[in-house]
Amino acid sequence: MRDVAASAASTGPRVLPRNDPRQYDDLAGEWWRPDGAFAMLHWLAAARAALVPPATRPGELLVDLGCGAGLLAPHLTGKGYRHVGVDLTRSALLQAAEHGVRVVQGDATAVPLPDGCADVVSAGELLEHVPAWPRVVAEACRLLRPGGLLVLDTLNDTALARLVAVRIAERLPTVPRGIHDPRLFVDARELVAECARHGVDLRVRGIRPQVGGLVAWLLRRARTGRPGTTPAGRGPRIVPTPSTAVLYQGWGVRNG
Ligand SMILES: C[S@@+](CC[C@H](N)C(=O)[O-])C[C@H]1O[C@@H](n2cnc3c(N)ncnc32)[C@H](O)[C@@H]1O
């Protein structure tokens, strides 16, 4: 395995270590391009938002840990939440704010928000980027009010995930090289146990892009030769799959 990788072949010569957060600055122009380097994050955001029911009271709070550029925001429209996003990366937060997210620059392992403030906490594609991911889980559960909902998705700590999400995916033109450090992938059983320790009974299920939609998207993208020209919302749906071995979602309610 390489220790370093080009941050993004299309954006310049800077070479950064795997999972270096500065990659998100180099890729700042990609967040909202529907066929760009973060296209799959849009599909995953739609699938994550589907786990979030509409708010039952006015002004319920959804805290979006590692919110990036706020890709979850359009999928929450009409659900009635105040959407607060926490992220390390200022260039991403500036874009999240443009999409209606109230942003907080900070570390998801030490969030400057009070205990029990959140009706929903989301951690989409975040845990596999944080060396101390159990601390993010502890923070997510601390922020949740009793009865509040945790939703997340991440990559499993398996040989198959390393093969698919790093060795294969990073050869595709659509996936930034070096964006993941496979040493940080998150064992699903350990995650469930960690959530239980903090009062959340997490259920998990495997997810993947729907194959026909993915092939159609890749073909369309190759045909246009101009990434970003395909209309938004035309990517594949994310669907459940029997195995959690690569990508999985988790959701659970905080006890108490
Ligand atoms: C793969 S992106 C996912 C962004 C967003 N959740 C989404 O699905 O579109 C990972 C994000 O996590 C952020 N991040 C990484 N480590 C973090 C930390 N310790 N605290 C807060 N944000 C972090 C990065 O800046 C980046 O925006």
Side-chain angles (χ1 to χ4, degrees):
M1 189 198 322
R2 292 164 304 160
D3 286 321
V4 295
S7 59
S10 59
T11 53
R14 180 151 84 150
V15 174
L16 293 169
R18 282 192 173 275
N19 193 50
D20 189 311
R22 289 173 294 174
Q23 291 182 53
Y24 296 103
D25 291 323
D26 291 352
L27 293 165
E30 295 292 308
W31 283 107
W32 283 94
R33 289 177 55 210
D35 284 354
F38 292 137
M40 189 157 169
L41 292 180
H42 288 262
W43 316 336
L44 288 163
R48 192 177 321 119
L51 297 174
V52 178
T56 53
R57 292 175 289 106
E60 286 196 12
L61 179 64
L62 183 148
V63 177
D64 187 356
L65 298 178
C67 65
L71 305 190
L72 192 59
H75 305 287
L76 296 174
T77 302
K79 292 202 178 191
Y81 291 97
R82 285 177 294 141
H83 184 180
V84 169
V86 180
D87 204 287
L88 289 176
T89 305
R90 186 176 144 76
S91 57
L93 289 172
L94 290 171
Q95 297 180 59
E98 286 170 10
H99 288 83
V101 183
R102 298 164 199 215
V103 299
V104 177
Q105 188 168 14
D107 193 321
T109 63
V111 179
L113 293 172
D115 296 0
C117 65
D119 299 283
V120 179
V121 172
S122 170
E125 300 303 302
L126 169 67
L127 298 179
E128 73 275 22
H129 295 284
V130 184
W133 66 258
R135 287 174 56 195
V136 177
V137 170
E139 279 296 81
C141 298
R142 178 187 70 75
L143 293 169
L144 273 181
R145 67 165 170 80
L149 175 69
L150 175 64
V151 294
L152 56 85
D153 35 73
T154 189
L155 286 161
N156 208 340
D157 182 19
T158 63
L160 188 61
R162 290 187 281 280
L163 176 70
V164 173
V166 180
R167 298 186 71 169
I168 294 176
E170 290 193 6
R171 289 185 185 178
L172 300 174
T174 50
V175 175
R177 290 169 58 202
I179 200 79
H180 287 117
D181 180 344
R183 293 170 298 185
L184 303 182
F185 288 2
V186 180
D187 183 273
R189 273 171 300 198
E190 283 178 28
L191 177 59
V192 169
E194 196 62 32
C195 287
R197 266 194 283 282
H198 294 282
V200 172
D201 294 323
L202 195 76
R203 294 178 59 194
V204 295
R205 69 174 175 191
I207 51 173
R208 61 169 171 77
Q210 191 255 339
V211 174
L214 180 61
V215 171
W217 179 81
L218 286 168
L219 289 175
R220 197 170 53 240
R221 192 179 181 285
R223 240 193 342 262
T224 65
R226 285 176 295 138
T229 55
T230 311
R234 299 282 306 282
R237 281 188 313 117
I238 295 292
V239 294
T241 189
S243 170
T244 58
V246 179
L247 184 60
Y248 63 99
Q249 276 180 329
W251 68 98
V253 168
R254 183 174 160 196
N255 303 324

